[in-house]
Amino acid sequence: MTDYTQQLAGFLAGLRYQDLPPAVLARIEELFLDWLGSALAGKGQHPIPLFERYAERMGPADGSAQILTSRRRSSPYFAALVNGAASHVVEQDDLHNSSVLHPAAVVFPAALAAAQDLGRSGAELLLAAVAGYEAGIRIGEFLGRSHYRVFHTTATVGTLAAAVAVGKLMDFDRERFVNLLGSAGTQAAGLWEFLRDAADSKQLHTAKAAADGLLAAYLSADGLSGARHILEGEQGMAAGMSSDADPERLVDRLGSRWALLETSFKFHASCRHTHPAADALLALMQREGLDHAQIAAVTARVHQGAIDVLGRVLEPQTVHQAKFSMGTVLGLIAVYGKAGLGEFHLHALNDPRVAAFRARVEMRLDPEVDAAYPRRWLGRVEVLDREGRRHTAAIDEPKGDPGNTLSRDELAEKFRRLLAFSGAATDAEAETLIQRAWGLRQAPSVTALI
């Protein structure tokens, strides 16, 4: 009988920096910069100040790790907690399609905090992040579509991904990784119910995943044991959280398939489920020369996952909830030609043209789109114009997908926009951080990031 957890743990223990292909090293640096921009963009955004105040009250007055949004130092646990929350608030962090996991928001906060605490180098941080991505993506794929219908995969699987990254920084062997997965997996939690109420739970999810993953690693380093088959065991994660789990996904081409290369960057500042339709609508309007006022109705043909997550948000009450409203996102695209942070904060709730357009948008399950999901996120829209003509458009790779990725120049420009939005750094500091990211593998230390 195959011991999938043992195989995965063995791969993680044996992974070395020299094993990483050049493309993997380049991409993890790009993912780091993209994450750093997302985290710093969270400065001042509700509910991040709440997490900062909690860390200030409960954590040390000074510590070995840095809270990026406040530039205060604290313990690794509280730095991971706040940075994890900040990473996921402006909806600009990365996504891996087939696992439906946002790896950066959980892996990098935990890994950076631990690397600063342990005095690790930039190369060691990158290796740890690769391990976290590779494990987290495979665990997300293992739990399948049924898991995501109720559970926020970034919260549940994110706890294990964060733990693996920290365990790699501590040079865990196979046995310790097995115990680490058990201690991280038993903490896995995070439900989608918050979307119905525009609650702040999404940031709590990534905060706790990053911090609890770090907690599991530090305790495991001191000898805490964990369940040996937390993933596929009779009372493990799959048994309680999935009806379509496939354990073969846990060990899929370990060492030859680098899953992090399949990660997408976010172009629009909204839930990734909206991006395929947004790109398709923009392409259609440009092709047909249509103005938003000329459009009578839009049908976004989507996969079931989009309906499960977005379908409950009909009239958003907050800017963050608006990012989970297909009608609002398409309204911003139609009226402004983009759905960035500025458009959301200035117009998502206040522009009557966006509100009117939102009312003209519906989602409909499309068998072709649903069959391709989650491996591929297809964009299909149908538009009825005011003269009764029907138009269609199809996008097979939304902007930011691996086959339609952002270049380093585009990532740097996105980073500048994110920091300008929040005011978390000066223009000069932003340029310094970009260069640090591109040279992270040569950095002897990551202690003073900003």
Side-chain angles (χ1 to χ4, degrees):
M1 182 177 178
T2 303
D3 192 325
Y4 296 99
T5 298
Q6 281 280 342
Q7 284 192 32
L8 179 60
F11 166 75
L12 296 170
L15 185 63
R16 295 291 176 261
Y17 183 82
Q18 55 266 30
D19 299 332
L20 304 181
V24 170
L25 275 173
R27 179 48 57 97
I28 199 65
E29 287 177 338
E30 293 162 359
L31 292 166
F32 175 79
L33 180 71
D34 193 62
W35 163 74
L36 184 60
S38 294
L40 288 169
K43 178 180 174 63
Q45 299 300 305
H46 179 80
I48 306 311
L50 279 63
F51 287 89
E52 292 173 342
R53 288 198 293 272
Y54 178 73
E56 188 174 348
R57 284 198 301 268
M58 303 298 289
D62 195 13
S64 59
Q66 187 177 44
I67 295 173
L68 296 172
T69 50
S70 66
R71 303 199 188 189
R72 296 176 64 92
R73 301 198 75 84
S74 187
S75 69
Y77 182 87
F78 285 107
L81 186 86
V82 180
N83 292 338
S87 303
H88 207 43
V89 70
V90 299
E91 293 294 329
Q92 288 277 260
D93 49 316
D94 64 20
L95 174 82
H96 182 268
N97 285 356
S98 60
S99 62
V100 203
L101 173 72
H102 297 274
V106 289
V107 167
F108 282 118
L112 178 63
Q116 291 178 333
D117 180 55
L118 300 168
R120 299 295 190 252
S121 68
E124 289 169 310
L125 171 62
L126 293 176
L127 174 64
V130 170
Y133 269 71
E134 295 299 314
I137 287 168
R138 285 175 171 81
I139 295 169
E141 291 176 334
F142 153 69
L143 288 172
R145 290 181 61 167
S146 65
H147 179 76
Y148 186 77
R149 190 180 67 82
V150 175
F151 293 96
H152 182 199
T153 304
T154 303
T156 54
V157 174
T159 308
L160 291 96
V164 164
V166 179
K168 193 62 191 173
L169 284 165
M170 295 177 167
D171 199 24
F172 278 11
D173 60 15
R174 180 200 299 256
E175 183 66 13
R176 196 146 281 177
F177 267 120
V178 168
N179 283 286
L180 172 60
L181 291 169
S183 293
T186 202
Q187 300 180 81
L191 300 163
W192 280 117
E193 183 65 21
F194 72 88
L195 280 175
R196 298 178 186 272
D197 307 304
D200 300 324
S201 305
K202 201 164 191 271
Q203 290 71 54
L204 182 62
H205 287 178
T206 47
K208 287 285 286 176
D212 289 348
L214 182 142
L215 169 69
Y218 274 70
L219 290 174
S220 296
D222 279 344
L224 185 75
S225 64
R228 301 188 63 80
H229 296 97
I230 197 68
L231 300 171
E232 74 274 39
E234 291 184 9
Q235 293 178 296
M237 290 181 70
M241 296 176 156
S242 175
S243 61
D244 62 344
D246 178 5
E248 291 293 335
R249 302 306 298 270
L250 292 170
V251 296
D252 178 31
R253 291 167 286 165
L254 288 170
S256 60
R257 172 208 174 198
W258 296 98
L260 69 85
L261 294 175
E262 305 157 6
T263 305
S264 298
F265 298 105
K266 275 193 175 183
F267 187 66
H268 309 296
S270 59
C271 175
R272 182 68 175 173
H273 290 297
T274 67
H275 290 210
D279 284 1
L281 178 63
L282 183 61
L284 186 151
M285 293 180 68
Q286 291 173 342
R287 184 190 74 207
E288 302 295 335
L290 290 174
D291 179 79
H292 68 91
Q294 296 173 284
I295 295 176
V298 178
T299 299
R301 306 190 70 89
V302 298
H303 50 259
Q304 184 62 47
I307 294 172
D308 291 341
V309 173
L310 308 175
R312 63 199 71 180
V313 183
L314 301 178
E315 295 186 8
Q317 302 302 305
T318 67
V319 169
H320 189 260
Q321 193 183 36
K323 297 182 177 197
F324 292 81
S325 161
M326 180 68 84
T328 302
V329 174
L330 297 191
L332 290 172
I333 290 291
V335 175
Y336 295 98
K338 54 185 176 179
L341 291 175
E343 286 71 39
F344 271 102
H345 282 262
L346 294 174
H347 308 301
L349 301 179
N350 302 317
D351 190 327
R353 298 172 299 174
V354 173
F357 198 93
R358 179 172 61 234
R360 304 199 293 271
V361 173
E362 69 166 356
M363 290 189 294
R364 187 174 299 167
L365 182 66
D366 184 285
E368 177 200 10
V369 174
D370 192 55
Y373 174 82
R375 188 175 60 86
R376 300 175 67 204
W377 294 41
L378 305 179
R380 303 288 187 268
V381 295
E382 298 174 357
V383 167
L384 175 67
D385 68 24
R386 296 290 187 187
E387 297 183 6
R389 295 173 299 188
R390 295 188 179 276
H391 313 271
T392 62
I395 293 290
D396 288 345
E397 289 187 294
K399 181 68 172 175
D401 261 15
N404 188 17
T405 193
L406 302 184
S407 67
R408 284 206 163 192
D409 286 345
E410 289 175 312
L411 287 169
E413 185 54 36
K414 176 185 174 182
F415 183 81
R416 296 182 186 102
R417 289 198 306 270
L418 291 173
L419 269 60
F421 168 79
S422 67
T426 65
D427 291 347
E429 287 174 327
E431 296 307 314
T432 298
L433 288 169
I434 291 169
Q435 294 310 310
R436 283 182 180 170
W438 296 158
L440 193 58
R441 69 185 79 175
Q442 283 88 36
S445 169
V446 294
T447 300
L449 194 61
I450 184 171

